[in-house]
Amino acid sequence: LAKTTQPISMDSYEGQEVNITCSHNNIATNDYITWYQQFPSQGPRFIIQGYKTKVTNEVASLFIPADRKSSTLSLPRVSLSDTAVYYCLVGDINTGGFKTIFGAGTRLFVKA
Amino acid sequence: GAVVSQHPSRVICKSGTSVKIECRSLDFQATTMFWYRQFPKQSLMLMATSNEGSKATYEQGVEKDKFLINHASLTLSTLTVTSAHPEDSSFYICSATLQGIRSTDTQYFGPGTRLTVL
């Protein structure tokens, strides 16, 4: 079972800020939240990772509220090349090791 | 840094044959590698977790005798699809982590292998 819930799709226009929210109600104390981007016929690419509050890097920001039951990926001023599927993951530590379960992801379509 | 490669990038084979897919971490040692399968318009599905020097841990519903995984070194894991059938046609993706079994580990993904079974 997927441990995260995201909107299935979102549309935006070039130059706009896009916020994608992910719900992870069962996040464990030691879990981090990681976001990946995937283009068609390519492997996912790491975007950003965080534990709480706010994390920012050169491509995105990640906002995590105090209860950590959700997180929001913020993409500033998107371009056509940001059209992709975005996945939110939380680590799932079970007996035998670490594994992650991909949810359905959010298909972002950026229009000119 | 943290580059993962896969070979081949695409393969077409006849039904009943076996296909081997290699996953290599090029500039780091990967204690743990993961294998995923992705069908068109769907999300990635974890097939198995591969730890160097030990047997892979398969997800429920994944046949270990059909999808053979070998992780013989810290930089190489292989997935062999035995007696492939058309329903095995899919996009196979591997990933590797730098540290091992911790939640903070970032997975670095390979570019994927497109398998088509005729």
Side-chain angles (χ1 to χ4, degrees):
Chain A
L1 293 176
K3 295 186 64 178
T4 61
T5 304
Q6 304 172 231
I8 294 175
S9 65
M10 294 181 69
D11 287 346
S12 182
Y13 288 93
E14 280 191 293
Q16 288 188 333
E17 177 184 80
V18 171
N19 296 308
I20 306 175
T21 298
C22 176
S23 297
H24 28 78
N25 292 318
N26 297 321
I27 189 168
T29 302
N30 294 330
D31 284 345
Y32 275 62
I33 301 153
T34 312
W35 284 80
Y36 291 89
Q37 175 193 56
Q38 186 183 28
F39 297 112
S41 297
Q42 294 186 27
R45 185 177 70 125
F46 172 84
I47 301 175
I48 197 166
Q49 184 182 74
Y51 184 81
K52 62 180 179 181
T53 63
K54 177 183 175 182
V55 179
T56 298
N57 62 22
E58 62 276 9
V59 297
S61 293
L62 179 59
F63 299 92
I64 305 169
D67 65 6
R68 303 201 327 121
K69 293 184 183 297
S70 67
S71 59
T72 299
L73 173 72
S74 181
L75 304 172
R77 299 183 62 78
V78 295
S79 63
L80 296 176
S81 62
D82 292 318
T83 294
V85 179
Y86 293 82
Y87 294 99
C88 157
L89 274 72
V90 296
D92 186 350
I93 299 176
N94 290 314
T95 301
F98 159 82
K99 65 179 181 180
T100 55
I101 305 296
F102 276 78
T106 297
R107 195 171 296 272
L108 173 65
F109 185 67
V110 180
K111 295 179 272 191
Chain B
V3 178
V4 176
S5 70
Q6 282 184 241
H7 178 79
S9 58
R10 57 178 63 238
V11 56
I12 300 173
C13 69
K14 293 182 179 180
S15 184
T17 61
S18 293
V19 175
K20 179 185 285 188
I21 302 170
E22 293 185 348
C23 176
R24 294 181 184 272
S25 55
L26 298 184
D27 50 3
F28 65 100
Q29 293 186 327
T31 308
T32 304
M33 288 184 170
F34 302 88
W35 286 97
Y36 296 86
R37 180 166 58 178
Q38 185 175 35
F39 293 107
K41 302 294 186 183
Q42 294 187 24
S43 183
L44 284 75
M45 184 190 78
L46 179 65
M47 299 175 67
T49 302
S50 170
N51 292 296
E52 185 266 338
S54 62
K55 291 183 179 180
T57 302
Y58 290 82
E59 293 301 301
Q60 189 174 10
V62 178
E63 300 175 59
K64 61 180 67 177
D65 293 331
K66 181 169 183 63
F67 298 99
L68 302 179
I69 292 173
N70 184 279
H71 193 160
S73 76
L74 286 172
T75 60
L76 173 65
S77 175
T78 60
L79 168 68
T80 301
V81 183
T82 62
S83 187
H85 291 284
E87 58 265 30
D88 298 323
S89 297
S90 187
F91 192 52
Y92 291 86
I93 307 171
C94 73
S95 72
T97 60
L98 283 167
Q99 301 292 339
I101 51 172
R102 290 191 330 206
S103 175
T104 57
D105 292 341
T106 298
Q107 291 188 53
Y108 295 92
F109 289 84
T113 297
R114 175 75 58 192
L115 170 63
T116 302
V117 184
L118 302 176

